């Protein structure tokens, strides 16, 4: 096959990454760090169960095996956050202080719905330099029924019966859709008891820890009822 | 074919035809697929009379574990093994390629393969590709010059040293090796040290995990222990098994294929997905 010379020369002139034109883009400093981890919450009549793993990561390193992602804001509601830990701490501080002020001024603790709205407004107040937090606000409503409010980073929220956030979200949410809502089932047998749901939650975390490198160490579970708060810690894979 | 040979020769053996295509694809909006890297912690330790190499068994694709129990110790020759970190596909294919190349050479020359031959061949291949072939290897073996241990970086650099570690967990492992390595270890001491170093990588580096594989090579032969240590069993066994009764999953359409008549027919009525 004969190729004319100018055709051949066209190939020589193409851009190859020689030393002259490899420019290494230096990584720009970012104010955000993903400390990862997974949180989930499930609401049932009479209780709400919130769980989060306790691993704090930075890239491939583990910063802490014992860092809580859950924060109890009032007797009835708990904030669970995945994302940047520093922003979680800042957000938690703001909410705790603001809710304390609410209690002083109104002589009663804020309802879960009120806290949900407050959180949304606070997140949106930082619309142009967001809190790198993916929140779940889980709590009992006025009828003592457990609900979960799920948020994005800038404050859009929705009332749900269960929610998952964090690095293990994609691994877990489809299981919960199937088990707790009966998606893709003809006869939906939805678990009602606390034990069954705890079993599912623990299984979800152990599966997330198998396949997500950022989830592991321990899972911390808070169970909120009108009688009070119960706390459980179960081990997960440590590698 | 003559044109093709001339073309390649005049280009100087640097083949970047896909680089331009990749740029174009990125510009069109194709997201770069995360190729399976092995994350990894691998170590090699030289002892009196041989060499030990150990590796973890986790393969990651981004932040997801792609394989919980993959094999990172590859045979290059009966007396030379390689532990590999980097891109899983590159490692697998390059090691298979050099295994075959060395075997051919052994058949032609009727001589045992040597570690420095492997290093030369590897680095000669890797350097022209400017690090695009993502293999970081620890090569260890026993040949006519005694036991040797070297590491090869993806750009084609090699280093001979009595202990090595590579991969994302190399720093965790190196801490253990620097603290505990001594000259003149016995085989069992070297194995224990290598396992400890991999353990550090498994627990403190998230790119490494699951189990430990070990291979010990001496003049007498090779001792390969797959999964010599298994630490991380699945943490929770579900008490009540998930209920998945038969015929509980809605089907949009059902087809029946009759093998005797070789025809496909639609069966039943469309079912709605109920949510």
């Amino acid at each position: 096959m004969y190729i004319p010379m100018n055709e051949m020369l066209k190939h020589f002139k193409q851009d190859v990454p020689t030393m002259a034109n490899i420019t290494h883009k230096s990584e720009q400093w970012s104010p955000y760090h993903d400390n990862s981890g997974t949180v989930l919450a499930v609401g049932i009549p009479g209780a709400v169960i919130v769980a989060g793993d306790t691993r704090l990561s930075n890239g491939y390193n583990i910063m802490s095996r014992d860092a809580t992602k859950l924060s109890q804001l009032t007797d009835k509601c708990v904030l669970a956050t995945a994302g940047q830990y520093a922003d979680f701490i800042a957000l938690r501080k703001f909410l705790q202080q603001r809710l304390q002020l609410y209690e002083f001024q109104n002589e009663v603790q804020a309802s879960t719905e009120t806290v949900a709205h407050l959180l949304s407004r606070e997140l949106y107040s930082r619309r142009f330099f967001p809190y790198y937090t993916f929140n779940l606000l889980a709590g009992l409503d006025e009828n003592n029924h457990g609900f979960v409010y799920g948020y994005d980073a800038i404050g859009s929220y929705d009332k749900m019966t269960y929610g998952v956030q964090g690095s293990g979200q994609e691994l877990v949410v489809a299981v919960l859709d199937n088990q707790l809502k009966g998606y893709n089932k003809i006869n939906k047998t939805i678990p009602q008891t606390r034990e069954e749901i705890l079993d599912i939650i623990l299984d979800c975390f152990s599966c997330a820890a198998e396949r997500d490198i950022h989830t592991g160490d321990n899972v911390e579970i808070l169970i909120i009822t009108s009688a009070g708060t119960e706390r459980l810690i179960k081990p997960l894979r440590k590698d | 074919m003559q044109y093709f040979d001339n073309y390649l020769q005049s280009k100087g053996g640097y083949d970047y035809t896909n680089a331009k295509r990749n740029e174009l694809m990125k510009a069109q909006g194709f997201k770069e697929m995360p190729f399976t890297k092995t994350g990894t912690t691998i170590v090699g330790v030289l002892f009196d009379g041989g060499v030990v190499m150990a590796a973890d068994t986790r393969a990651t694709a981004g932040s997801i574990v792609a394989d919980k129990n993959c094999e990172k110790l590859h045979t290059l020759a009966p007396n030379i093994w390689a532990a590999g970190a980097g891109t899983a596909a590159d490692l697998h294919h390059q090691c298979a390629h050099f295994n075959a190349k060395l075997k051919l050479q052994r058949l032609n020359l009727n001589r045992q393969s040597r570690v420095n031959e492997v290093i030369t061949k590897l680095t000669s291949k890797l350097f022209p590709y400017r690090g695009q072939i993502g293999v970081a290897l620890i090569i260890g073996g026993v040949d006519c010059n005694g036991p040797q241990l070297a590491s090869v970086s993806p750009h084609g650099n090699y280093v001979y040293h009595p202990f090595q570690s590579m991969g994302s967990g190399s720093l965790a492992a190196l801490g253990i090796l620097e603290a505990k390595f001594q000259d003149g270890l016995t085989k069992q001491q070297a194995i224990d040290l290598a396992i400890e170093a991999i353990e550090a990588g498994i627990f403190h580096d998230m790119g490494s995990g699951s189990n430990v594989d070990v291979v010990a090579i001496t003049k007498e032969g090779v001792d390969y222990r797959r999964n010599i240590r298994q630490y991380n069993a699945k943490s929770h066994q579900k008490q009540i098994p998930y209920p998945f009764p038969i015929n509980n999953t809605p089907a949009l359409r059902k087809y029946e294929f009759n093998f005797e008549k070789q025809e496909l027919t639609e069966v039943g009525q469309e079912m709605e997905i109920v949510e």
Side-chain angles (χ1 to χ4, degrees):
Chain A
M1 191 169 121
Y2 173 69
I3 308 292
M5 196 50 145
N6 47 356
E7 266 289 314
M8 290 262 275
L9 284 173
K10 250 194 249 174
H11 292 285
F12 293 140
K13 291 196 176 116
Q14 77 180 325
D15 256 345
V16 292
T18 60
M19 282 312 286
N21 57 18
I22 293 178
T23 44
H24 291 284
K25 250 195 309 193
S26 52
E27 278 177 41
Q28 217 212 347
W29 177 83
S30 167
Y32 294 121
H33 301 280
D34 189 4
N35 298 121
S36 311
T38 312
V39 289
L40 75 80
V42 181
I44 52 179
V48 72
I49 304 172
V50 198
D53 74 320
T54 60
R55 172 177 285 178
L56 197 71
S57 21
N58 192 358
Y60 276 128
N61 301 313
I62 299 177
M63 299 284 104
S64 169
R65 295 192 196 273
D66 200 19
T68 175
K69 291 185 176 63
L70 311 180
S71 163
Q72 181 142 27
L73 298 174
T74 66
D75 287 342
K76 289 191 184 174
C77 79
V78 171
L79 175 70
T81 307
Q84 184 166 357
Y85 207 70
D87 280 352
F88 163 58
I89 304 248
L91 193 59
R92 182 179 69 178
K93 197 173 197 174
F94 166 82
L95 288 170
Q96 280 172 341
Q97 290 177 343
R98 186 63 188 80
L99 290 171
Q100 202 176 46
L101 191 61
Y102 183 102
E103 205 179 328
F104 290 157
Q105 289 175 339
N106 299 287
E107 294 181 28
V108 75
Q109 281 195 334
S111 68
T112 304
E113 203 183 324
T114 308
V115 181
H117 193 211
L118 175 65
L119 177 56
S120 169
R121 283 171 55 87
E122 174 60 15
L123 290 171
Y124 197 77
S125 75
R126 289 273 293 262
R127 170 65 176 86
F128 298 109
F129 180 17
Y131 286 101
Y132 193 124
T133 51
F134 300 97
N135 299 292
L136 291 171
L137 187 82
L140 301 169
D141 71 355
E142 302 302 327
N143 306 321
N144 256 346
H145 194 300
F147 281 107
V148 178
Y149 294 86
Y151 293 77
D152 69 355
I154 50 175
S156 135
Y157 73 109
D158 196 19
K159 191 174 184 180
M160 316 178 292
T161 44
Y162 63 90
V164 196
Q165 289 281 19
S167 54
Q169 181 182 29
E170 293 92 357
L171 294 165
V172 168
V173 75
V175 179
L176 293 186
D177 285 344
N178 178 263
Q179 293 295 311
L180 299 180
K181 259 222 163 74
Y183 272 28
N184 299 317
K185 283 185 178 181
I186 298 173
N187 293 321
K188 301 170 199 302
T189 44
I190 295 173
Q192 306 289 349
T193 67
R194 197 183 102 155
E195 284 66 37
E196 285 176 288
I197 294 188
L198 264 176
D199 202 17
I200 293 175
I201 290 179
L202 283 170
D203 197 49
C204 285
F205 266 98
S206 90
C207 295
E210 292 279 311
R211 289 290 176 174
D212 176 29
I213 61 177
H214 296 296
T215 303
D217 292 328
N218 294 300
V219 55
E220 182 189 3
I221 306 179
L222 285 177
I223 306 167
I224 320 292
T225 56
S226 51
T229 308
E230 202 186 313
R231 185 166 179 260
L232 297 168
I233 301 203
K234 301 279 179 187
L236 289 177
R237 288 178 72 121
K238 292 183 167 37
D239 63 356
Chain B
M1 273 322 286
Q2 185 64 36
Y3 153 71
F4 201 64
D5 291 327
N6 288 340
Y7 176 67
L8 281 179
Q9 217 175 32
S10 47
K11 284 191 83 180
Y14 289 62
D15 187 359
Y16 287 104
T17 42
N18 281 341
K20 192 118 197 184
R21 175 206 73 173
N22 293 345
E23 294 281 320
L24 268 168
M25 284 175 82
K26 249 197 231 175
Q28 282 172 6
F30 280 92
K31 216 171 61 157
E32 220 173 327
M33 284 206 316
F35 31 74
T36 310
K37 296 183 112 247
T38 51
T40 306
T41 311
I42 47 174
V43 299
V45 179
L46 213 54
F47 65 89
D48 218 3
V51 60
V52 160
M53 283 183 297
D56 74 308
T57 60
R58 175 183 280 185
T60 54
S63 72
I64 300 291
V65 177
D67 192 342
K68 294 189 269 190
N69 204 6
C70 72
E71 288 187 48
K72 303 189 188 180
L73 294 169
H74 310 275
T75 321
L76 295 179
N79 58 325
I80 306 174
W81 280 58
T87 310
D90 286 340
L91 282 167
H92 180 249
H93 285 275
Q94 295 301 320
C95 286
H97 172 80
F98 285 106
N99 190 333
K101 205 165 175 180
L102 286 173
K103 174 137 200 197
L104 207 56
Q105 191 186 45
R106 282 200 301 280
L107 288 169
N108 277 320
L109 302 179
N110 202 19
R111 272 181 181 68
Q112 197 191 43
S113 299
R114 302 183 194 186
V115 174
N116 52 23
E117 280 170 9
V118 182
I119 306 288
T120 318
K121 287 178 165 54
L122 256 174
T123 53
S124 309
K125 170 121 192 224
L126 292 176
F127 180 67
Y129 283 89
R130 305 299 279 268
Q132 298 293 323
I133 299 185
V135 301
L137 294 161
I138 296 182
I139 318 275
V142 180
D143 58 24
C144 56
N145 297 322
Q148 287 155 83
L149 181 67
S151 69
V152 178
S153 86
H155 285 266
N157 179 45
Y158 64 91
V159 169
Y160 281 86
H161 198 67
F163 58 90
Q164 308 271 9
S165 74
M166 304 281 269
S168 61
S170 64
L171 294 172
L174 208 53
I176 301 286
L177 290 173
E178 286 286 359
K180 299 195 177 186
F181 178 82
Q182 299 165 359
D183 282 321
L185 290 168
T186 64
K187 179 174 166 187
Q188 191 52 49
Q189 286 174 329
I191 291 178
D192 291 336
L193 177 59
I195 292 176
E196 249 188 272
I198 299 290
E199 239 181 77
I202 285 176
F203 287 107
H204 300 285
D205 170 49
M206 296 193 293
S208 318
S210 298
N211 315 311
V212 185
D213 292 347
V214 165
V215 68
I217 310 172
T218 54
K219 206 159 68 159
E220 285 77 49
V222 169
D223 187 9
Y224 175 49
R225 308 289 196 84
R226 169 86 171 134
N227 291 353
I228 192 175
R229 292 275 190 280
Q230 295 180 297
Y231 308 101
N232 299 288
K234 191 155 173 236
S235 50
H236 178 77
Q237 211 38 56
K238 199 161 184 297
Q239 306 297 324
I240 313 148
Y242 284 109
F244 283 112
I246 302 174
N247 288 329
N248 202 29
T249 309
L252 277 179
R253 287 192 195 90
K254 285 188 187 169
Y255 294 93
E256 192 182 80
F257 184 74
N258 192 316
F259 278 95
E260 287 159 33
K261 292 189 204 157
Q262 289 282 301
E263 60 187 29
L264 190 70
T265 49
E266 187 155 354
V267 168
Q269 285 175 333
E270 254 182 60
M271 293 174 102
E272 277 177 42
I273 298 181
V274 185
E275 279 182 15

